[in-house]
């Protein structure tokens, strides 16, 4: 279809935009800018996989870095808890899928909108000493039309919940059918006087925009959808960008530098092509959508005499304020088959604790949903079953346990806030490099004590729910010593009005480089409650709108 | 940073973190070749999906997908395509080996017998089939041949030698697999916290519960063992509680 019409832009001639990264934000950016008539080169470091390439293959996906490349594929990262420590080489610390569509290809699709409070929480709740907790320069009202665009253009299934923020239009698709773990969660929550409701998800419950509904195969979170029912940018946006005839997608393109000229404007994007040859695409403007770890790394790699601390980093905020979102899980066994391994990750959510009572003495909030403890994966379950529920780890009794537990288990998971701290950050590792010779992403991270207290609160509340649900062999986990990696990579090039404390303005233009725009998880000022992709996508629609308007005014 | 994947606590802690964090545990058992595209029996799954799905949109989407594969996306993913023949060959050989009882490709017969005997105690054959019937040893033989698992194979060989030494001292027997099951369990109990045992356990479970094209989980035997059925499509209700919920009209 669209592929035949793909343009082939010469690298030595300027295109209107180079977009770096084709994920949740980059895919939307490509569609919005290309369909507005701009010439766009979209650079993606991974392959363009489609539904035909995906398989319910736990061994390849979870155990052999099929989509999330790490050290074994030439992309090591390093981790340390504080600047005082030596960073240790790891396979993956900051996790993301390397393919067209980015991590939207394999996400769980939990699409909670942020609420009005998320954008002004520092004013309402008060700033928090030692953190960069701040208001956003935009409000929920500013973003609402773009949340609705995500609902309809990307495809979200759901039902307005009891305290959901106002919406200008209903969901396009009805909620997904409830699953066993969420029946248990909902009944327990109601018994405790709470208000569970259908989880909004970027997975189609009915045909929408020419795509089929979910077939409930069960291999969802972490896997590519074989039916195109998961609303990734891969299936919802990229095809439209390519159909426009204005967007050239270049896969296996690894960007290592953004060049700037004497006037301090971005002029060219340098990358290695699929054959390892150095290429440079000249451009009028650059939109960087590489994710909260890759985006700051590329800005650091693009340092120059004019930008000695990294491109667009006069504030010193590039790479800082990394937020992972907190997490807790509790597990239990039940008398009847729950079969949580079928269908999508989560179908109900409890949002009664979106904001915890300040009287508790710490800041935080989040949501709780019901899931299968290991995303329905049989090997993952077999490996962790004895630790979750007790009992032997090999032999006949182990086998009997597995046979019963895999289908009779449920997990109640907490998804929580993270505070922005300068000490949590992405920098270039001075010692470790990837296969292209780029310094590895070095992550320095220790959850704030309030973040850990919040995780603990959600852990304990989830235990209470699990008991109320009638679970046995109840166990659980939260990162009481702090997390050492995540797939939510937020805040590292934060948005703000003041160029001395933020990297981009409210329209995603960098304060320092007028024709360089950033949009991805790095743009977020605060972390939300643990499901950021909906907001990243809404920001991308809004940023693209602002960029298109600026282009019309000839103000790029 | 080698055998942390065999560290049970590490693996499971990561799983308990849920979400995609579990990928972090993948760390150290270094990766082997990508078999995901091999799809030795893709049509079976497709047809099942088509049979299951009455929705015409779905059928349209599937047929469009077939078309797209034929045209553009193969050329686009050229790096993957280039590696396909080697991958397919390796997978087919593994399939043939397990179905014919052929010799191992990477393990010696003695190593194969020892590891197969260990696997048979980790997931025993009792009232139901176990790792033996699932062909877990052929999975091990297959994945241990990858160059990125050279160190894993070497450490397993060291572990086997140490175990055999202990077997000789304690039971005056040359090989673990020649012991009776009671004695085999005694031996494994004494080593169950070692990286060696946990690596064998990891590979046994992987050979029982992952996709059959890697040589194990014959006929989805491992999945059946835990009440799982690998299908492309399901319809609600999925289990007891949601059926009950629907029935009560909650």
């Amino acid at each position: 279809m669209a592929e035949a019409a793909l343009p082939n832009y010469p690298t030595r001639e300027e295109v209107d935009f180079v977009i770096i990264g084709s994920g949740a934000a980059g895919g939307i950016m490509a569609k919005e800018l290309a369909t507005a008539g701009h010439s766009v080169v979209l650079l993606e470091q991974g392959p363009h996989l489609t539904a035909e390439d995906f398989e319910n293959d736990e061994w390849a996906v979870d155990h052999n870095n099929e989509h999330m490349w790490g050290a074994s594929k030439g992309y090591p990262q390093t981790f340390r808890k504080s600047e005082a420590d030596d960073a240790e080489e790891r396979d993956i610390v900051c996790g993301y899928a390397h393919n067209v569509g980015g991590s939207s290809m394999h996400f769980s699709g939990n699409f909670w909108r942020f609420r009005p409070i998320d954008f002004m929480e520092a004013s309402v709740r008060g700033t928090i000493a030692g953190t960069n907790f701040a208001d956003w320069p935009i409000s929920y009202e500013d973003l609402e039309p773009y949340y609705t665009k995500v609902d309809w253009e990307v495809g979200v299934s759901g039902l307005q919940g009891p305290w959901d923020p106002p919406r200008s239009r209903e969901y396009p698709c009805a909620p997904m059918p409830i699953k066993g773990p969420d029946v248990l969660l909902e009944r327990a929550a109601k018994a405790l006087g709470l208000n569970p409701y259908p989880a909004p998800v970027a997975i189609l419950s009915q045909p929408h925009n020419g795509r089929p509904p979910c077939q409930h195969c069960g291999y969802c979170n972490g896997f590519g959808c074989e039916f195109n029912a998961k609303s990734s940018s891969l299936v919802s946006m990229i095809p439209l960008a390519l159909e426009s005839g204005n967007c050239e997608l270049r896969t296996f393109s690894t960007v290592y530098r953004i060049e700037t000229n004497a006037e301090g404007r971005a002029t060219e994007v340098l990358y290695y092509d699929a054959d390892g040859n150095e290429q440079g695409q000249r451009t009028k403007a650059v939109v960087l959508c590489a994710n909260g770890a890759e985006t700051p790394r590329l800005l650091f790699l693009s340092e120059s005499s004019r930008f000695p601390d990294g491109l667009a980093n006069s504030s010193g905020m590039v790479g800082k304020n990394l937020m992972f979102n907190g997490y807790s899980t509790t597990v239990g066994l039940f008398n009847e088959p729950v079969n949580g391994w079928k269908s999508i990750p989560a179908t109900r959510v409890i949002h009664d604790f979106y904001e915890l009572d300040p009287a508790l003495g710490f800041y935080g909030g989040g949501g709780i949903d019901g899931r299968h403890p290991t995303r329905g994966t049989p090997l993952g379950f077999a490996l962790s079953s004895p630790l979750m529920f007790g009992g032997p780890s090999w032999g006949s009794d182990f086998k009997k346990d597995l046979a019963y537990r895999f289908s009779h288990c449920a997990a109640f998971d907490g998804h929580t806030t993270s505070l922005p701290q300068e000490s949590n950050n992405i920098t270039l590792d001075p010692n470790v490099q990837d296969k292209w010779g780029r310094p590895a992403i070095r992550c320095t991270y220790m959850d704030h004590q309030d973040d850990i207290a919040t995780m603990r609160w959600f852990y304990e509340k989830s235990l209470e729910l699990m008991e109320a649900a009638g679970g046995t062999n109840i166990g659980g986990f939260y990162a009481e010593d702090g997390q050492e990696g995540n797939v939510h990579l937020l805040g590292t090039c934060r948005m703000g009005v003041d160029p001395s404390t933020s990297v981009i303005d409210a329209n995603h233009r960098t304060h320092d480089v007028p024709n360089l725009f950033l949009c991805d998880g790095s743009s977020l000022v605060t972390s939300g409650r643990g499901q950021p992709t909906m907001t990243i996508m809404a920001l991308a629609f809004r940023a693209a709108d602002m960029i298109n308007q600026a282009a019309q005014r000839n103000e790029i | 940073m080698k055998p942390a994947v065999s560290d049970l606590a590490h693996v499971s802690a990561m799983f308990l973190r849920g979400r995609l964090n579990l990928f972090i545990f993948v760390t150290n058992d270094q990766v082997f070749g990508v078999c995901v595209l091999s799809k030795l029996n893709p049509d079976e799954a497709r047809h099942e999906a088509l049979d299951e799905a009455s929705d015409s949109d779905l059928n349209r989407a599937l047929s469009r997908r077939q078309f797209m594969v034929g045209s553009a996306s193969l050329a686009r993913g050229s790096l993957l395509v280039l590696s396909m023949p080697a991958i397919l060959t390796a997978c087919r050989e593994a399939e043939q080996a397990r179905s014919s009882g052929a010799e191992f490709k990477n393990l010696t017969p003695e190593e194969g017998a020892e590891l197969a005997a260990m696997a048979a105690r980790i997931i025993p054959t009792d009232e139901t089939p176990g790792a033996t019937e699932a062909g877990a040893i052929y999975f091990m033989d297959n994945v241990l041949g990858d160059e990125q698992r050279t160190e894993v194979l070497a450490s397993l060989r060291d572990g086997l030698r140490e175990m055999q030494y202990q077997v000789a001292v304690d039971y005056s027997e040359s090989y673990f697999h020649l012991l009776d099951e009671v004695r085999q369990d005694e031996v494994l109990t004494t080593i169950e916290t070692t990286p060696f045992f946990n690596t064998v356990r990891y590979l046994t479970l992987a050979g029982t519960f992952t996709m059959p094209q890697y040589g194990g989980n014959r006929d989805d035997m491992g999945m059946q063992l835990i009440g799982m059925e690998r299908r492309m499509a399901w319809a609600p209700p999925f289990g007891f509680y949601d059926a009950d919920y629907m029935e009560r009209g909650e």
Side-chain angles (χ1 to χ4, degrees), chain B residues 55-151:
Chain B
D55 192 288
S56 61
D57 278 5
L58 172 60
N59 291 325
R60 266 205 307 280
L62 286 168
S63 57
R64 194 180 69 171
R65 198 164 77 204
Q66 308 284 15
F67 164 71
M68 285 179 63
V69 162
S71 56
S73 56
L74 276 180
R76 202 159 281 281
S78 57
L79 286 187
L80 292 168
V81 174
L82 284 177
S83 61
M84 280 284 285
I87 290 166
L88 281 170
T89 305
C91 291
R92 287 199 181 112
E93 281 174 1
E95 291 264 310
Q96 284 161 5
R98 71 163 176 78
S99 55
S100 64
E103 289 177 6
F104 299 116
K105 289 185 302 177
N106 301 297
L107 300 170
T108 67
E110 290 76 18
E111 289 164 354
E114 294 288 79
L115 291 172
M118 290 178 75
R121 298 316 301 152
I122 291 166
I123 307 181
T125 305
D126 39 34
E127 308 90 74
T128 54
T132 305
E133 291 76 18
I137 187 61
Y138 296 104
F139 168 90
M140 289 191 218
D141 181 50
N142 190 23
V143 304
L144 287 169
D146 184 78
E147 59 180 24
Q148 298 196 71
R149 287 198 165 84
T150 310
E151 288 179 49

Side-chain angles (χ1 to χ4, degrees), chain A residues 26 61 105 276 314 327 357 386 413 442 513 556:
Chain A
V61 169
M105 179 276 285
S314 65
Y327 192 75
D357 185 350
D413 291 357
R442 178 175 64 182
V513 183
I556 296 293

Side-chain angles (χ1 to χ4, degrees), chain A residues 10-233:
Chain A
T11 56
R12 307 323 294 160
E13 292 173 22
E14 282 186 340
V15 290
D16 292 332
F17 293 97
V18 171
I19 300 171
I20 304 167
S22 67
I28 287 172
M29 196 64 67
K31 180 261 177 182
E32 291 290 288
L33 298 182
T35 56
H38 300 296
S39 55
V40 171
V41 168
L42 177 58
L43 298 174
E44 166 55 50
Q45 64 184 327
H48 188 183
L49 304 174
T50 63
E52 186 65 28
D53 300 311
F54 299 133
E55 195 172 21
N56 294 344
D57 187 343
E58 183 187 2
W59 180 245
V61 169
D62 281 7
H63 299 257
N64 289 282
N65 298 36
E66 171 68 7
H67 303 306
M68 292 173 74
W69 299 351
S72 54
K73 295 213 165 178
Y75 299 85
Q77 300 180 351
T78 65
F79 178 81
R80 57 185 183 174
K81 278 191 185 291
S82 84
E83 275 181 29
D85 302 333
D86 289 330
E88 182 186 321
E89 187 174 332
R90 303 270 175 92
D91 189 6
I92 294 171
V93 179
C94 300
Y96 44 90
H98 295 64
N99 45 258
V100 174
S103 297
S104 74
M105 179 276 285
H106 71 175
F107 62 15
S108 66
N110 270 334
F111 260 36
W112 312 347
R113 292 181 178 201
F114 282 19
R115 298 185 179 183
I117 184 67
D118 283 298
F119 300 88
M120 53 186 188
E121 204 166 10
S123 295
V124 174
R125 175 76 170 71
T127 54
I128 297 168
T131 76
N132 284 337
F133 194 46
D135 286 354
W136 292 52
I138 60 173
S139 66
Y140 176 79
E141 289 69 32
D142 292 327
L143 206 51
E144 199 285 332
Y146 304 99
Y147 276 127
T148 295
K149 264 174 94 75
V150 178
D151 280 348
W152 283 83
E153 294 193 28
V154 176
V156 181
S157 302
L159 187 71
Q160 181 77 349
W163 304 292
D164 275 356
R167 55 173 53 245
S168 54
R169 201 175 171 192
E170 279 307 300
Y171 285 102
C173 302
M176 292 288 289
I178 193 168
K179 287 176 47 166
D182 288 305
V183 172
L184 296 164
L185 179 77
E186 179 173 311
R187 288 174 173 171
K190 285 182 172 170
L192 296 180
L194 304 174
N195 299 275
Y197 71 103
V201 293
I203 298 166
L204 300 183
S205 62
Q206 60 199 60
H208 181 67
N209 291 348
R211 292 192 286 119
C214 173
Q215 300 301 307
H216 313 289
C217 76
Y219 284 84
C220 194
N221 186 2
F223 295 86
C225 181
E226 300 182 44
F227 296 96
N228 289 338
K230 188 185 282 190
S231 298
S232 59
S233 63

Side-chain angles (χ1 to χ4, degrees), chain A residues 451-471:
Chain A
D451 300 339
I452 293 176
T454 301
M455 284 189 255
R456 181 185 173 127
W457 193 94
F458 276 81
Y459 169 70
E460 288 171 350
K461 180 56 69 179
S462 301
L463 285 176
E464 196 182 329
L465 285 158
M466 192 56 81
E467 278 162 20

